[in-house]
Amino acid sequence: MVRPETVLPARPGLLGSAFDDLGVRLGPDGGTLRVWSGHADAMQMLVFDDVDLDWATETVTMVPLGDGVFEATSALLRPGARYAIRVGGPLGPGNTFNPQTLLVEPYARGLVSGNFGDWRAVVVEGGFDWGTSTKPRVPLDKTVIYEGHVKGLTKRHPFIPPALHGTYAGLAHPAMIDHFLSLGITSVELLPIHAFATEPRLLQLGLTNYWGYNSLNFFTPHAAYATAASRAEGPEAVLREFKGMVKLLHEAGLEVILDVVYNHTAEEGIGGPRTSLRGIDNRSYYRQTDDGAYIDETGCGNAVDTSTDAAARLVLDSLRYWANDVQIDGFRFDLAVTLGRDERHSFTPEHPLLQAIRDDAELADVKLIAEPWDVGMGGWQTGNFGDGWQEWNDRYRDRVRNFWLSDIDYARRADTTPVGIGGFATRLAGSSNTFSEERGPLASINFVTAHDGFTLRDLVSYDVKHNLGNGEQNRDGADTNRSFNHGAEGRTDDERVLATRRKAMRNLMGTLLVSAGIPMITAGDEMGRTQRGNNNAYCHDSALTWLSWDLAPWQRDLFAHTQRLLQIRRDNPALRPRRFARLGERIPSASVMQWFDEKGRTMSSDAFNDPAHRTLQYLATSTPEHEDLNQVLLVVHGTEAPADIVLPALDDDAGTAYVSLWSSADEAPTPGGERFAPGETVSLAGASMRLFRVE
């Protein structure tokens, strides 16, 4: 009986059958390798000694089968075998063939490094006992994403054994699972775990590519994140450890989302490392002009050309592998606009690959999250990815930062703010000006921080970036951060400044977790993690980027606030509508929103746009479909002077009292429960929020 390692059925009408069954297929007498190249005229497979990766024990000339497919069979191509290919082809613009270069075939399931920094593919069977583990399939309206780094999350954790620090196994240790569950998140989003390499430029500086946005291969987990025992055993054990992590997280009810980098590879620009696609068929895999110059829409030296069937099919097959064989719950697509560029290099939401990802039956239950920009022409596409996709909402990030930070900084210097509260209110309510009614608020991945940029603590502690340690004279990283140091740059002993910063962090976290849409928390923000002002720490694998679990009392308080807010979000469906409301209609699972000023009066359009008016009351009423009727009142006060507000009146059948749930003015969260009557006056601290439930 044939045991396939790669079984890839045809997709009629999309990507031709020439791309079926690529990679290694194992049988009782060895294995068969198939590789596609549209322009090659010769190909060899080499099998290497298990110990000496420079000793080829067999060289097989691969047979052309037609449609660009080359095939070789060998009894030595068995589980654990190390192998590579060599590809020859014509010279000319766009072709970069070198029949002496050893290359990784794109569908390899395992990799090992050779003696000179080159790579060998490894045959992996991939069998695994999933037991009764199943995907949690968390509904979008109840999803809370936690973005973190495999190594950084556990490297310094005091309750995880040192042998598991910084590993896949460490991430699934009970201490980490307890952290995730006690915090209240539902989905762990991991920075890239596809096998990746550090750029030569960074190596020369003594730095490393810590984040991992530099993929070598789209099917292989990064071996350096496995335990020493798994690495010593080989790629099969590395994959088994990764699957074991997924299994344990699933058994705890937690989803695993992967940040995937299909937009470019570690081969960089022409003249960079030649490891795989460039040597197999440069013209078919990378975007370029007619004369062979690369069109770099990623800022990383190359851009994968998904307008070709070969590249598009490679991406789709990789996704299906991770979603099914490895049971991954979702994907966040780095620079997703690049994937949606057509043969003219223009973005279109109808791109065949984007539609295939959305419509593929084997990806039906997978969360699809686009980073909706790249650095090419027309690269900013927030809101344009279409039904079935969620998107990182940078407009939300910028507006929330402006409201709580840069606007207040401006007001200190000018005695007024630059804009009113209207734009902030739109973001609170689900960004209906960015996402269509058909897609609804759950198309928005709301975030205030991410791996790229300031941490939450640094956002309120630094006016400017401090990236000298990156070796680029502080030129790298964003210059516009919408941050505010509140009176001192970085570290300070001024308790007044520190208290104001703590409240600002609570305002930012509170806004994120009560907004309509899907919230994403950056790992460590719930504990006030700092990178000492570095807003582009991609090249630091050190205590600068690893989470510290040694917490000061104020950090424990911030964690408790985040816990409390996530519990409130779970308990109150009015805060997490699935659809936008429509005036005069009953839309199931929408939240009907009413807006009031500080006097409890209906908000006028002039007040929304008045820079002098920074206080808002937002009453959200759920439209029951699967949960009970629910009403919450959020009071937002966006100036630093304290204020008294009058709670708005309620409809006779809506409720009789407001019950206090949370306040950003509190250093530590209180149990709440204090009751207020409609029309009663409540005092608010300067620049603060307060949340009530209607009873």
Side-chain angles (χ1 to χ4, degrees):
M1 177 179 178
V2 174
R3 182 176 66 253
E5 184 192 17
T6 305
V7 179
L8 302 169
R11 293 163 181 78
L14 176 62
L15 303 172
S17 59
F19 303 102
D20 295 343
D21 301 331
L22 297 180
V24 173
R25 304 182 76 227
L26 295 173
D29 300 318
T32 297
L33 171 66
R34 286 184 178 177
V35 179
W36 181 91
S37 174
H39 294 90
D41 55 26
M43 198 175 296
Q44 291 179 321
M45 178 187 72
L46 294 85
V47 181
F48 293 86
D49 182 75
D50 290 347
V51 177
D52 185 350
L53 295 182
D54 295 315
W55 176 21
T57 58
E58 183 180 43
T59 300
V60 180
T61 298
M62 300 182 70
V63 178
L65 301 180
D67 294 328
V69 177
F70 290 76
E71 180 182 277
T73 299
S74 170
L76 298 182
L77 206 59
R78 48 175 171 65
R82 278 73 167 144
Y83 68 101
I85 59 172
R86 292 197 294 221
V87 183
L91 301 176
N95 291 327
T96 56
F97 295 108
N98 184 335
Q100 301 307 310
T101 302
L102 294 169
L103 303 168
V104 175
E105 66 94 357
Y107 285 77
R109 300 296 198 260
L111 288 177
V112 291
S113 180
N115 296 329
F116 302 101
D118 52 359
W119 299 90
R120 303 290 181 266
V122 180
V123 179
V124 171
E125 285 189 282
F128 187 77
D129 181 8
W130 292 97
T132 59
S133 170
T134 58
K135 293 185 179 183
R137 292 185 171 85
V138 179
L140 287 174
D141 63 307
K142 297 182 179 179
T143 297
V144 179
I145 297 171
Y146 186 82
E147 186 205 39
H149 188 284
V150 170
K151 185 173 185 178
L153 283 167
T154 64
K155 182 63 177 176
R156 304 171 74 186
H157 200 297
F159 301 132
I160 294 176
L164 303 185
H165 280 169
T167 67
Y168 300 126
L171 191 65
H173 187 275
M176 279 308 304
I177 289 177
D178 179 69
H179 178 75
F180 299 144
L181 296 180
S182 64
L183 181 60
I185 60 98
T186 68
S187 310
V188 181
E189 181 177 307
L190 299 176
L191 267 64
I193 59 80
H194 288 172
F196 63 86
T198 292
E199 297 88 332
R201 176 185 62 83
L202 289 179
L203 293 174
Q204 292 171 3
L205 294 171
L207 299 171
T208 185
N209 188 321
Y210 174 67
W211 286 351
Y213 292 88
N214 202 41
S215 300
L216 282 165
N217 173 269
F218 298 150
F219 289 82
T220 304
H222 193 58
Y225 295 156
T227 58
S230 292
R231 295 198 306 272
E233 190 176 340
E236 187 83 50
V238 170
L239 178 59
R240 188 165 58 246
E241 182 178 324
F242 186 91
K243 290 180 176 180
M245 175 197 73
V246 175
K247 178 180 179 179
L248 290 172
L249 291 173
H250 281 177
E251 288 174 350
L254 295 162
E255 294 183 316
V256 180
I257 297 171
L258 299 184
D259 192 334
V260 287
V261 188
Y262 295 118
N263 59 81
H264 75 280
T265 74
E267 293 186 305
E268 301 183 26
I270 294 292
R274 185 198 308 256
T275 57
S276 183
L277 301 181
R278 177 176 295 141
I280 294 172
D281 193 335
N282 182 62
R283 176 60 81 180
S284 294
Y285 281 111
Y286 292 120
R287 293 188 180 275
Q288 54 198 275
T289 61
D290 290 342
D291 63 2
Y294 274 7
I295 299 172
D296 180 10
E297 291 149 337
T298 67
C300 300
N302 65 63
V304 174
D305 188 358
T306 53
S307 71
T308 71
D309 282 356
R313 179 67 181 268
L314 177 63
V315 171
L316 190 59
D317 288 342
S318 171
L319 291 170
R320 298 184 74 196
Y321 170 72
W322 290 100
N324 296 294
D325 290 48
V326 194
Q327 290 289 289
I328 293 302
D329 302 279
F331 302 94
R332 178 266 186 188
F333 294 82
D334 182 63
L335 301 184
V337 169
T338 299
L339 305 183
R341 290 184 180 273
D342 59 21
E343 65 278 2
R344 298 180 301 277
H345 315 296
S346 298
F347 174 79
T348 170
E350 288 78 36
H351 191 286
L353 176 59
L354 298 183
Q355 291 189 326
I357 292 171
R358 182 195 64 192
D359 296 338
D360 194 297
E362 294 198 39
L363 301 176
D365 296 319
V366 169
K367 291 179 168 69
L368 304 174
I369 302 169
E371 183 183 36
W373 51 80
D374 67 11
V375 301
M377 290 291 292
W380 188 56
Q381 294 290 338
T382 307
N384 294 333
F385 267 73
D387 191 38
W389 286 86
Q390 280 67 53
E391 300 177 40
W392 273 26
N393 189 348
D394 56 320
R395 297 183 186 182
Y396 175 94
R397 173 201 63 199
D398 294 348
R399 179 62 71 177
V400 171
R401 289 186 181 189
N402 281 346
F403 185 82
W404 289 118
L405 300 175
S406 56
D407 286 0
I408 289 177
D409 177 26
Y410 187 98
R412 284 192 183 185
R413 293 180 281 108
D415 295 326
T416 184
T417 57
V419 296
I421 202 170
F424 178 79
T426 301
R427 299 303 164 191
L428 273 176
S431 297
S432 61
N433 60 344
T434 301
F435 300 100
S436 67
E437 181 178 328
E438 292 73 23
R439 297 180 68 192
L442 296 178
S444 177
I445 302 294
N446 296 332
F447 67 108
V448 176
T449 67
H451 66 276
D452 186 1
F454 280 144
T455 67
L456 183 68
R457 179 175 171 182
D458 289 356
L459 202 58
V460 305
S461 304
Y462 294 90
D463 278 353
V464 296
K465 65 188 181 183
H466 295 264
N467 296 358
L468 283 174
N470 296 359
E472 298 185 45
Q473 292 76 51
N474 211 42
R475 293 192 300 264
D476 65 303
D479 292 311
T480 303
N481 296 285
R482 296 174 168 84
S483 60
F484 179 33
N485 68 20
H486 293 87
E489 186 72 359
R491 294 188 63 176
T492 180
D493 295 325
D494 188 325
E495 180 52 37
R496 184 173 56 181
V497 171
L498 293 172
T500 307
R501 288 176 177 178
R502 293 193 296 268
K503 179 154 59 70
M505 282 189 274
R506 296 191 294 268
N507 284 330
L508 291 164
M509 185 67 78
T511 301
L512 174 65
L513 297 182
V514 301
S515 294
I518 300 172
M520 184 186 79
I521 300 170
T522 304
D525 278 355
E526 76 277 19
M527 304 180 292
R529 181 177 78 91
T530 180
Q531 291 178 167
R532 301 198 297 273
N534 192 318
N535 75 349
N536 190 35
Y538 76 103
C539 54
H540 295 280
D541 185 358
S542 68
L544 181 72
T545 50
W546 305 335
L547 267 65
S548 172
W549 299 87
D550 183 15
L551 306 181
W554 74 265
Q555 292 176 291
R556 297 190 188 96
D557 290 340
L558 180 59
F559 180 84
H561 272 285
T562 309
Q563 281 182 308
R564 175 72 175 144
L565 285 160
L566 285 171
Q567 182 64 54
I568 290 170
R569 186 177 182 87
R570 287 194 297 275
D571 293 344
N572 293 275
L575 293 173
R576 41 182 176 80
R578 296 171 56 201
R579 301 178 181 92
F580 289 126
R582 198 179 305 140
L583 186 63
E585 297 185 37
R586 186 185 185 281
I587 306 296
S589 292
S591 286
V592 177
M593 299 161 186
Q594 297 171 271
W595 308 93
F596 303 93
D597 63 16
E598 68 275 12
K599 301 298 185 183
R601 302 170 302 202
T602 299
M603 194 87 155
S604 68
S605 58
D606 289 342
F608 271 115
N609 299 311
D610 183 357
H613 193 276
R614 300 269 294 180
T615 305
L616 172 75
Q617 301 189 73
Y618 160 43
L619 183 65
T621 304
S622 70
T623 308
E625 184 177 16
H626 306 294
E627 298 177 84
D628 294 337
L629 177 68
N630 174 239
Q631 277 189 299
V632 293
L633 177 73
L634 176 66
V635 184
V636 177
H637 178 53
T639 61
E640 292 197 288
D644 291 333
I645 62 103
V646 178
L647 296 174
L650 291 166
D651 295 336
D652 292 339
D653 58 349
T656 58
Y658 294 101
V659 179
S660 179
L661 296 177
W662 176 78
S663 171
S664 70
D666 297 332
E667 284 286 353
T670 62
E674 189 178 2
R675 299 170 66 88
F676 299 88
E680 191 170 343
T681 298
V682 176
S683 296
L684 263 67
S688 69
M689 304 169 66
R690 193 155 182 184
L691 188 65
F692 303 86
R693 185 182 67 249
V694 175
E695 278 193 359

